[in-house]
Amino acid sequence: MVRRVVILLTLLAGSGMTAVAVSGPASATSFASSNITSPIDGKHYLITDAHPAANVVVHGTVSPPTVGATVDIRCYGPKGEWQSVPGPASGIPLDVTGTSFAVSMPTNIPYGTCRLRAVPHGWSAASPIASYTGPRLTTEWTTTDRIASGPNAGKVFDYYVEFVGAHAMNDFSSINRGGFWDSRVQYANGTSSNYLWYGNARLRAEPDNSRSPLQVDGRNAFASDAADNLFVGSENNPGFPKLTFSATRQAGIATIHETVGIVRCPADTFPATAVTCPRFRSTGIRLERTIVITDGGLQVRVSDVWRSTDHKPHAVSADYEQSVEGYDRPTGSTVEVQVGVKQPWLSNAYAAFISDTVYPGPAHGPASIFVRDNTLASDGDRDFARGAISFDLAPKVVHRTENRVFFTRPAAIKVPAGGSRLVRQFYVVGTSQATVNAKAAANEERINPYRPDALIRKGAGGFVGNRVYNDDGAHQTSSLIRSRGSSATFLIKVQNHGTTTDGLTVAGPGAAGGFGVKYLAGATGTRDITTAVVNGTYRLTKLAPGAQRLLRLVVTVQGNAGIAATHSWLVRATSTTDGARRDAVQAKVSVVAR
């Protein structure tokens, strides 16, 4: 079983981490300080299939010499949480002089980054530890789970990856098992916040509901880990879906690729049994998940490509689970705290859990949900982090089932025949609300599938309005002053700032009292498009992300225009796919005497 599951089981047992149960007082024969001299500070271990965990020796001394005392060696991470070396019993004896100790430690003891300390046996979580010094250790993982025996022996059905960045630790497994599993802010001194994200963007493997969290064309469907967990012996079924994955890191950015076929049972009973599911059949859908860990670990970007493999269209229903840890360990015990969830399209307040509730999702994406690990913690608290999920495909509903867990379910993900559909969920973790807000806003812009951007300039000047999005032309307006009988020319640029190929409709007002108007295609072209623009039917098709087109607005000041008169033309570019997405620029002309 992967390391993350082992840790979860110890948490559920109420011990916070291994040997974190509330301790009795330290032995009467205690020492005042200690120092661990080996391993060295900053030691890094990497556990892989080819290089499993090994044993190293922990050496250290205590002061003053205390004959008969025993020590507990712990690797401290978040507040009140540690792992014991070599195990829960601990109580390692000193040498005959009462000054030094040595014990074997498996390299899988550090979970992410923690600081190794030797404390008096039974030292409580609330007692000070500053005088017990030791090295900062880091362990990272890249391992697989494979079917051990039978006809599918050797097939990978799950993986476990743990990366420690400059500012945060994150770990991951397959979409059915844990997805984006753990996340905590990591501090330079080896301590960290409590966990914030605690099992996200996952389609839970365990059959504990009335349907599978994943369905294809209305039928229950499964990736590899869910197929492995359907019932005893399901891993032996013909057609078992093999999972492939890779994990790399370069220049501080880590990337995980996961690819797995999605299967179903011959009969659509749920939960499946050996009788109703003697084999697996392909659904014609493959999942290609890419996870990018950036910003020193503070941001995780999950992108799911649902691909048609049988050249037929499909509808995918994905009930993505999102979890916040929501625990504190003030004295070594595990205490649940109140998790706050904010859905800005409903309220600007963080809501505590009251009862199982289904909320309507936002009208369209991109949008963000904000979370706080503890609603009572102040902004900037280093123990209780906060964060946001930004998504491009808006969930149809948000189902909050308990204090710590909610589900985001988009409407049917329609996969075209022989094509694919991209669904993205970008995560942020941090301690400052302002920082989380800013990063979530940037992520919404990054993942926006449909984003028209209109810009305007007068004469040979620069364009205004780049990456300014509104419907009234504010901060993207150009003005010119002209006399009767002269004209004013504005160059308008419309571009696709979304992340998906899209069309744009351009609409603007026509002539007004004392002002004539022409719209012309291109920067220097003469093709008159006035009628189409005024009627709102001028359309630019198949604009790739970043593509742009130019048109000119020529305003002629006629002889009957009033001196000092000013008139405005608001020109809008609207996505042909999502009519709620539009941007506007404004041209103004004022009349002066010759």
Side-chain angles (χ1 to χ4, degrees), residues 190-416:
T191 63
S192 69
S193 70
N194 290 313
Y195 304 100
L196 180 73
W197 304 118
Y198 209 63
N200 297 268
R202 74 165 175 158
L203 304 173
R204 188 190 301 222
E206 300 84 355
D208 62 352
N209 209 329
S210 60
R211 55 157 275 185
S212 169
L214 175 61
Q215 292 186 333
V216 176
D217 301 326
R219 297 174 64 100
N220 295 302
F222 316 97
S224 55
D225 192 66
D228 181 69
N229 281 278
L230 275 185
F231 50 84
V232 175
S234 62
E235 72 276 9
N236 296 321
N237 273 8
F240 187 93
K242 180 182 178 180
L243 179 148
T244 61
F245 99 103
S246 63
T248 58
R249 181 164 46 190
Q250 187 174 10
I253 298 176
T255 303
I256 299 169
H257 291 292
E258 171 186 350
T259 301
V260 62
I262 306 300
V263 298
R264 62 175 179 84
C265 295
D268 198 35
T269 56
F270 191 83
T273 67
V275 173
T276 63
C277 193
R279 67 185 62 83
F280 292 118
R281 294 176 176 172
S282 173
T283 61
I285 285 289
R286 180 173 69 232
L287 169 69
E288 300 165 4
R289 168 168 281 193
T290 300
I291 302 171
V292 177
I293 306 101
T294 186
D295 194 12
L298 296 174
Q299 297 194 62
V300 172
R301 297 168 181 161
V302 181
S303 300
D304 288 341
V305 173
W306 299 96
R307 187 176 302 281
S308 166
T309 59
D310 60 0
H311 304 289
K312 297 178 181 179
H314 296 283
V316 174
S317 173
D319 207 5
Y320 286 103
E321 181 177 354
Q322 318 289 353
S323 299
V324 176
E325 192 214 21
Y327 287 125
D328 189 19
R329 303 169 186 84
T331 58
S333 58
T334 301
V335 178
E336 189 166 358
V337 294
Q338 191 177 79
V339 170
V341 177
K342 180 171 71 172
Q343 301 175 69
W345 61 93
L346 299 177
S347 170
N348 284 323
Y350 282 91
F353 177 75
I354 299 175
S355 62
D356 187 308
T357 305
V358 177
Y359 300 93
H364 50 71
S368 298
I369 294 175
F370 296 84
V371 300
R372 291 170 60 178
D373 196 30
N374 184 352
T375 56
L376 300 180
S378 60
D379 192 4
D381 190 290
R382 288 169 61 90
D383 291 325
F384 298 102
R386 54 191 67 204
I389 312 171
S390 301
F391 31 78
D392 57 352
L393 184 62
K396 185 177 181 180
V397 298
V398 177
H399 183 190
R400 192 167 183 187
T401 58
E402 58 180 273
N403 176 44
R404 303 169 47 248
V405 178
F406 58 96
F407 294 82
T408 53
R409 180 185 293 173
I413 302 166
K414 296 181 179 179
V415 182

Side-chain angles (χ1 to χ4, degrees), residues 86-212:
S90 213
I92 297 159
L94 297 172
D95 67 0
V96 293
T97 66
T99 59
S100 64
F101 55 85
V103 66
S104 179
M105 180 190 77
T107 53
N108 61 7
I109 284 290
Y111 181 44
T113 295
C114 55
R115 189 167 291 278
L116 204 60
R117 302 175 189 269
V119 297
H121 178 56
W123 202 243
S124 74
S127 298
I129 56 175
S131 63
Y132 306 107
T133 60
R136 184 174 183 260
L137 305 179
T138 297
T139 295
E140 296 183 309
W141 295 63
T142 303
T143 57
T144 58
D145 277 356
R146 300 170 184 264
I147 296 175
S149 60
N152 295 313
K155 277 191 175 181
V156 175
F157 64 88
D158 194 19
Y159 63 87
Y160 180 71
V161 173
E162 178 202 289
F163 282 137
V164 180
H167 306 299
M169 184 213 79
N170 302 283
D171 64 359
F172 309 87
S173 61
S174 66
I175 189 171
N176 282 155
R177 172 52 52 187
F180 172 26
W181 222 338
D182 281 344
S183 182
R184 70 189 190 197
V185 182
Q186 197 77 48
Y187 304 118
N189 64 358
T191 63
S192 69
S193 70
N194 290 313
Y195 304 100
L196 180 73
W197 304 118
Y198 209 63
N200 297 268
R202 74 165 175 158
L203 304 173
R204 188 190 301 222
E206 300 84 355
D208 62 352
N209 209 329
S210 60
R211 55 157 275 185
S212 169

Side-chain angles (χ1 to χ4, degrees), residues 428-514:
V428 174
V429 62
T431 57
S432 160
Q433 188 66 55
T435 300
V436 169
N437 290 347
K439 290 180 179 180
N443 281 336
E444 285 189 27
E445 181 172 341
R446 174 186 290 271
I447 67 177
N448 199 334
Y450 310 113
R451 173 65 83 183
D453 190 20
L455 300 80
I456 189 170
R457 83 177 189 194
K458 53 189 177 183
F463 283 100
V464 295
N466 186 41
R467 297 190 179 275
V468 178
Y469 311 108
N470 57 48
D471 200 36
D472 60 4
H475 306 294
Q476 38 190 348
T477 296
S478 283
S479 302
L480 286 171
I481 300 172
R482 291 292 186 266
S483 60
R484 290 170 177 167
S486 63
S487 62
T489 299
F490 300 88
L491 190 62
I492 297 173
K493 180 192 296 184
V494 291
Q495 53 191 11
N496 179 7
H497 264 186
T499 56
T500 302
T501 296
D502 195 12
L504 299 179
T505 298
V506 180

